Amino acid sequence: MDAPGAGYAFEYLIETLNDSSHKKFFNVPRLGGTKYDVLPYSIRVLLEAAVRNCDGFLMKKEDVMNILDWKTKQSNVEVPFFPARVLLQDFTGIPAMVDFAAMREAVKILGGDPKKVHPACPTDLTVDHSLQIDFSKCAIQNAPNPGGGDLQKAGKLSPLRAQPKKLPCRSQTTCRGSCDSGELGRNSGKLSSQIENTPILCPFHLQPVPEPETVLKNQEVEFGRNRERLQFFKWSSRVFKNVAVIPPGTGMAHQVNLEYLSRVVFEEDDFLFPDSVVGTDSHITMVNGLGILGWGVGGIETEAVMLGLPVSLTLPEVVGCELTGSSNPFVTSIDVVLGITKHLRQVGVVGKFVEFFGSGVSQLSIVDRTTIANMCPEYGAILSFFPVDNVTLKHLEHTGFDKAKLESMETYLKAVKLFRHDQDNSGEPMYSQVIRIHLNSIVASVSGPKRPQDRVAVTDMKRDFQACLNEKVGFKGFQIAAEKQKENVSIRYEGSEYQLSHGSVVMAAVTSCTNNCNPSVMLAAGLLAKKAVDAGLQVKPYIRTSLSPGSGMVTHYLSSSGVLPYLSQLGFEIVGYGCSTCVGNTAPVSEAVLNAVKQGDLVTCGVLSGNKNFEGRLCDCVRANYLASPPLVVAYAIAGTVNIDFQTEPLGTDATGKSIYLQDIWPSREEVHQMEEERVVLSMFKALKEKMEMGNKRWNSLEAPDSVLFPWDLKSTYIRCPSFFDKLTKEPVALQPIENAHVLLYLGDSVTTDHISPAGSIARSSAAAKYLTNRGLTPREFNSYGARRGNDAVMTRGTFANIKLFNKFLGKPAPKTIHFPSGQTLDVFEAAELYQKEGVPLIILAGKKYGSGNSRDWAAKGPYLLGVKAVLAESYEKIHKDHLIGIGIAPLQFLPGENADSLGLSGRETFSLAFPEELSPGVTLTIKTNTGKVFSVIASFENDVEVTLYKHGGLLNFVARKFS
């Protein structure tokens, strides 16, 4: 049995998992001994992939040994990496799939079997970037913008009608609750539609209701607007092996990746190896929280992996982040996540791997870990890796992983030393740098009393509030005279007497906007409420309390976990779905409270779990407003004041007169995590799995071809067979000289891929707009370049169409150039088109750092289709240089210290050069101009693989010939 990949040089490392199993794996620890044992876990994953795919060409034995010698080679060598799978979203996925469809055409023309053309690795494509909000909750919208496509032919859709106020649960026939607005209790409010995974519930009666009309309307428009693209995706999923398309309405790429696509350990042809992924979604890093190595790359890198090539990366430094100690009382998961993120940002981990270890790691739930991993852009790391441990396995068990698979997964990961043990600190890897974060240094905080940036530790709250009373009126101060700071005012409310004073809480709201990304804080609030009610504690009735979750899903898990009734008993009843208290949409305080505040000139308080707390925002009579986590909102509501030291002062007393302190009812992190895993995670994964298996009705009924070759519609302005393979021959021809080439553009330093690649909306005066207009489209139907990435005619016309492009031929920013034979100033595309008709090759002159910025596939594809044969620059962004080679453009570099100015080049010359028969990396070439100048340049190929790809005319041609 052959191993997946290549692995020929290391077949001796293949072993059987155990005596009774037929599963095999590369026992990589045998290769390195003690060297392996000190490698960071993330580097071990790179090493396993290198061993398994070592073929002597794309992955050399030298690459394997460089990774094994990571300690001395980090930051100094480039290594290839073969990820186990690829994840695409629809905008970046469509050009890749169009290229594969075109390759099938080319292979057939060459006499090969087009059925053999498939991506080399599992590829998942999520259609999650096409949704536009044409209809929104409880509002009458204008007719939807079709943005092109065939929507208009399908007939116009009516906008969603406003919902009658008397039917807050929209009177769905399947809701068996009484839907009269009077049932909403003292904190009645308005409903907003629930756009979430199933189960969808009437939020007031917790009965299932049909999918919201808003969702269905938007999906209908989405399918109409993007019909051509969706039909092409469906064809791709039918004919290509290794391709799975997750249809619209299922979920966002990173969520589906985390909740459904992740394997943790791959099993392919009875071989086990670690799951790893690269993709075009910026949130790919989230999966590192599950022990899956992954990061985001550009579209052309993912396409290269799909075509069987590795991703190239500089062997990274790995920063070890040791977590120690235990969390302080009253600290929530959000406090921990933000505390760790802030520390990493301060330390500086830009461009590095981060890996977590230490006794404190086990205190982080998978939700915490994936949130930290997802925030890599906040602190600049490539990825943040949490090795698989017992917490991971328990999470996978809750998500429905097969028990037998879990057992073999655990056995395998321990065999190859990719499993992190809590107890064994002696075997921790060596890191480039170690930073230590003591979890007990992270303290629970609130923000206020007037600005969200003014953070106050909960333990300092009483002292800080007293200081605010004393300070002059300003960002924090209220300037209350010392003799009036102890003033109390009696009020009578609902037949009982109460005392109000400075610091009294009169509003408490758990609001929607910031606390739904991590369910643990909402569950913590519910658990605290349960314990408070069980202890006999209550919230004073004059306090305006409310609970406004962000979605029906939050209501569902609060209800299924059994805590919702306890929140209700404390007055935190669901008032609706949407922004409420934090934008001032709250019921007014009672007249009794209002009069007392005026009588005593009291600084009363509002406490909410939103993100805005400016003075007077909640209510004119509430001068101090504090932002707090949901459980602290409940705690301060029970206390009735912010002028309290939770560590030394009780919240109240129970029926026996015993003092009850906050620490007595505060839920432990273990309690919260357990409920989160058992109630929230299980429900979410179950819902997504059902959705994936059932599919989308519109997607299921969408007609799409199932032919071996895609039936291109010549009238389509979205999907078009690209011309990359037009001159493809069965065998690569000898490298042709570039003769009498004109300069298309003469550019300066730091030209970015944003200057080159088409992006954003299509300007009405652009070449792409003229093309679309000539095909009968109106400007309203142009859509964006992103939506039309499957049409090379649009994308080529959008190349170098950036209005900020500075072309030295013109001396000002403009997306234009000079066609020198005629002297005309034209759009870049129009000039290139004229040159092509005249049979004139083109080059680009540039300065330093050509192609810097984000990785963009059309920054290389576009110039190629414009007829550019070479770029001559002082230096390149490496990733973009690799892209140029991958598409068949020669990256030429001036000799050190030279540039166009020093050589006296105007760019108006014609340029000629020839390539030697035996082209080699870094060879020096000679360029001659029609003015008699002769100078040397470097052919900036770094290895034999790049030379081979260029000789084939690029990566696409190289792979197409392999299939022929």
Side-chain angles (χ1 to χ4, degrees), residues 713-838:
D713 180 358
L714 298 180
K715 296 180 181 178
S716 173
T717 57
Y718 277 94
I719 307 292
R720 186 173 183 269
C721 186
S723 55
F724 299 125
F725 303 101
D726 284 0
K727 298 178 182 179
L728 182 65
T729 57
K730 190 139 189 163
E731 297 295 332
V733 298
L735 289 174
Q736 300 298 302
I738 299 173
E739 296 181 333
N740 299 316
H742 268 290
V743 176
L744 178 64
L745 292 160
Y746 183 9
L747 306 172
D749 295 340
S750 301
V751 172
T752 70
T753 52
D754 285 341
H755 291 115
I756 307 168
S757 181
S761 59
I762 298 172
R764 295 189 179 196
S765 61
S766 66
K770 294 173 189 174
Y771 169 83
L772 294 172
T773 301
N774 290 338
R775 278 151 185 79
L777 274 67
T778 65
R780 189 180 178 207
E781 298 170 312
F782 287 172
N783 215 322
S784 64
Y785 284 113
R788 296 191 181 274
R789 291 177 75 158
N791 186 322
D792 66 307
V794 173
M795 298 301 284
T796 305
R797 285 165 171 77
T799 302
F800 293 116
N802 190 308
I803 59 173
K804 295 187 178 181
L805 180 75
F806 189 89
N807 181 2
K808 292 186 179 182
F809 290 150
L810 305 178
K812 63 180 181 180
K816 295 184 180 295
T817 194
I818 297 173
H819 176 253
F820 287 107
S822 66
Q824 298 179 80
T825 298
L826 303 169
D827 287 338
V828 174
F829 171 79
E830 292 170 345
E833 189 176 38
L834 271 181
Y835 280 125
Q836 288 197 25
K837 287 178 181 177
E838 297 160 355

Side-chain angles (χ1 to χ4, degrees), residues 99-154:
D99 288 348
F100 271 91
M103 189 181 294
R104 283 198 160 197
E105 301 269 358
V107 168
K108 183 181 180 183
I109 292 171
L110 293 180
D113 183 0
K115 292 181 181 178
K116 292 181 179 179
V117 177
H118 301 284
C121 69
T123 301
D124 299 297
L125 191 154
T126 61
V127 186
D128 68 338
H129 277 54
S130 301
L131 178 65
Q132 297 179 29
I133 303 175
D134 297 286
F135 300 96
S136 62
K137 58 194 179 183
C138 301
I140 297 178
Q141 304 292 328
N142 294 325
N145 174 12
D150 299 323
L151 177 64
Q152 292 165 313
K153 300 175 186 177

Side-chain angles (χ1 to χ4, degrees), residues 367-437:
V367 175
D368 297 337
R369 298 178 189 193
T370 53
T371 305
I372 293 168
N374 188 41
M375 294 180 77
C376 280
E378 293 289 325
Y379 44 88
I382 298 173
L383 56 86
S384 285
F385 191 72
F386 289 85
V388 176
D389 60 8
N390 288 321
V391 174
T392 316
L393 294 181
K394 189 174 291 186
H395 168 82
L396 295 174
E397 184 179 353
H398 284 141
T399 62
F401 252 71
D402 179 76
K403 191 172 183 180
K405 282 188 177 180
L406 274 177
E407 289 175 356
S408 63
M409 178 193 300
E410 183 176 1
T411 303
Y412 166 71
L413 291 171
K414 288 179 176 177
V416 294
K417 300 183 179 180
L418 284 173
F419 190 89
R420 191 188 72 84
H421 296 275
D422 295 335
Q423 312 88 309
D424 185 18
N425 291 327
S426 60
E428 296 292 0
M430 296 184 66
Y431 294 104
S432 312
Q433 173 190 358
V434 173
I435 59 176
R436 292 177 175 84
I437 300 176

